[in-house]
Amino acid sequence: PYWQDTCLLYPIVSDYLQSLFPAAHISQLSLLPALDQGLDDWDAVLKLVRREIASLDFEPEKVYVSHQAGTPAISSAVQFSSLAKFGQQVEFLVSSEYRPDRTRLINSSEYLSALRLQEAKALLDRYDYSGVQRLLCANRKADSNSGLENINRLLIMAIQWNFAKFEDFGKARGDLARERLTQWWWIGYEAAYLGVVRFEQKNTVEALFHSFRSIEGLISMWAESTYYPDHININPKNGSLDLKISILNVFEDFLGDSKQKKMRCEFEEKKKIGLYSFPLYELLRRTKPEWRQDPHIATVWNTAAPKRNDLFHRLRGLYEIDVFEAWNTKDEETWKGRVLGCLNFISGQDFKSLKEASLMSQVHAELEKAIENL
């Protein structure tokens, strides 16, 4: 009874409108609520209205939407759903039954901007920087909004970072990060923080990948940039590292352990060996024997490397607990602490959190503030 009266009025309304607009095609969209939900139920009405408006299959030049409806729930749902489907084509019709002369049209731009702003904030919370850029900056005019110009500049950096293009990200950050960018270790922390972001996005595969990659990559940078540049070759095609046989002048029995006899023979035959996995870890262990007193670094070769290889060579689901167990931890905070501890050991730094160590966390905070101030 609470909706059927309006439904039964449709023939009268239709005949009246047809007399005023004889060339128009008039059709109704009926909102038929479930038995246990009325048309004053906000969530239920929004689903009903979105479904009906989504069923409209045409591309109009203009859409007029009544600003009033029988219930606030319907009114809001119609406005929201119309904007979501038709965007800038929408104009709101505001009328007064007592003062027809006050009927007027309101452009949807402010409503649409507010809607997009809320959606952009939600996308930013999920670190979807490309989505935020499409939503806020895709149709911007070159000099129309200095706030959007700054947001777009920050988003370009964030997108580069999100694709692990850390060098490009650092260059774009420029003078604000000049001191950090002179340090050989800074990219390792960015890669690790990217792993944290992927974890927040529930992307456990990439969370494990980036956390492991950040540490093994940083060990490689440590060897190349600090201790052993004269004993390392860089492959010009793919950037991979080879350890030259000359390292035996530093460590005469390098790879001489009986368990690595085959690897040692290959090393002496080819006069080089790929600097990853065991040879890489062994180089760090030989150079920094204090690793035995560190509570974190041994996890890399004792647990993380074998687990990583096992998980990545099988097509199976990867759960949060798998990420933790790969680092011999039990929850998110201890996992992040383990990765941070390994990075600090390699780099000699003393950061208290991966977020503190990342330049991207600062860019994200600036984006939040800039979007809030739009």
Side-chain angles (χ1 to χ4, degrees), residues 8-293:
L8 294 173
L9 279 173
Y10 170 70
I12 298 174
V13 175
S14 179
D15 287 346
Y16 173 71
L17 292 174
Q18 199 74 68
S19 69
L20 294 176
F21 308 103
H25 171 71
I26 300 172
S27 62
Q28 67 171 336
L29 298 177
S30 297
L31 303 181
L32 306 179
L35 293 177
D36 59 340
Q37 295 172 321
L39 289 177
D40 56 351
D41 185 306
W42 288 81
D43 289 337
V45 166
L46 180 58
K47 291 177 182 177
L48 280 172
V49 172
R50 290 179 67 179
R51 183 183 67 204
E52 294 298 332
I53 290 183
S55 70
L56 298 173
D57 187 20
F58 58 89
E59 297 181 2
E61 293 183 7
K62 190 70 66 178
V63 175
Y64 299 103
V65 177
S66 172
H67 212 268
Q68 294 91 7
T71 70
I74 296 176
S75 180
S76 295
V78 169
Q79 293 170 39
F80 177 86
S81 301
S82 300
L83 284 171
K85 183 171 178 65
F86 299 114
Q88 295 180 347
Q89 280 71 44
V90 172
E91 289 191 10
F92 293 111
L93 178 66
V94 181
S95 61
S96 169
E97 59 183 304
Y98 305 110
R99 296 288 303 273
D101 58 305
R102 293 188 177 180
T103 298
R104 67 190 189 281
L105 292 171
I106 299 177
N107 191 281
S108 65
S109 58
E110 288 191 19
Y111 290 87
L112 193 59
S113 295
L115 185 65
R116 285 176 174 169
L117 190 59
Q118 293 306 311
E119 189 175 350
K121 290 178 181 178
L123 291 172
L124 188 62
D125 287 341
R126 298 198 296 270
Y127 306 95
D128 185 352
Y129 302 115
S130 296
V132 176
Q133 188 183 52
R134 285 194 299 271
L135 200 63
L136 295 183
C137 306
N139 299 314
R140 66 186 178 87
K141 295 180 181 178
D143 56 353
S144 60
N145 188 318
S146 58
L148 278 180
E149 284 292 317
N150 181 48
I151 288 172
N152 192 53
R153 180 182 61 82
L154 292 170
L155 285 170
I156 290 172
M157 291 183 220
I159 291 168
Q160 291 170 331
W161 183 87
N162 225 7
F163 282 104
K165 295 181 178 180
F166 301 124
E167 293 89 349
D168 294 337
F169 161 76
K171 290 176 184 176
R173 192 64 173 151
D175 289 345
L176 291 175
R178 178 177 294 176
E179 182 178 352
R180 177 69 61 84
L181 300 182
T182 62
Q183 306 298 324
W184 60 268
W185 43 258
W186 76 274
I187 288 180
Y189 289 92
E190 298 301 331
Y193 190 59
L194 182 56
V196 172
V197 166
R198 292 293 181 265
F199 188 87
E200 296 295 329
Q201 294 172 321
K202 308 301 181 184
N203 190 335
T204 50
V205 172
E206 288 205 17
L208 179 58
F209 170 75
H210 286 294
S211 60
F212 184 81
R213 179 180 184 238
S214 70
I215 292 170
E216 187 159 304
L218 192 63
I219 300 174
S220 298
M221 296 177 73
W222 162 82
E224 176 195 351
S225 303
T226 60
Y227 277 79
Y228 305 107
D230 295 335
H231 303 288
I232 293 174
N233 277 334
I234 303 175
N235 189 317
K237 292 183 178 179
N238 57 23
S240 63
L241 302 182
D242 289 325
L243 186 63
K244 298 189 293 186
I245 195 71
S246 61
I247 196 66
L248 296 181
N249 296 327
V250 182
F251 303 112
E252 184 177 349
D253 62 338
F254 190 74
L255 301 183
D257 185 276
S258 59
K259 295 179 181 179
Q260 306 301 327
K261 187 175 180 180
K262 183 178 179 181
M263 190 178 290
R264 172 66 180 250
C265 292
E266 181 183 346
F267 187 28
E268 293 178 344
E269 178 184 345
K270 294 183 178 180
K271 308 301 181 185
K272 65 178 182 179
I273 193 168
L275 192 58
Y276 58 88
S277 192
F278 184 87
L280 181 64
Y281 309 147
E282 184 65 2
L283 194 61
L284 180 68
R285 288 190 289 251
R286 294 291 188 105
T287 309
K288 302 183 72 167
E290 62 269 25
W291 68 268
R292 291 183 176 85
Q293 285 74 51

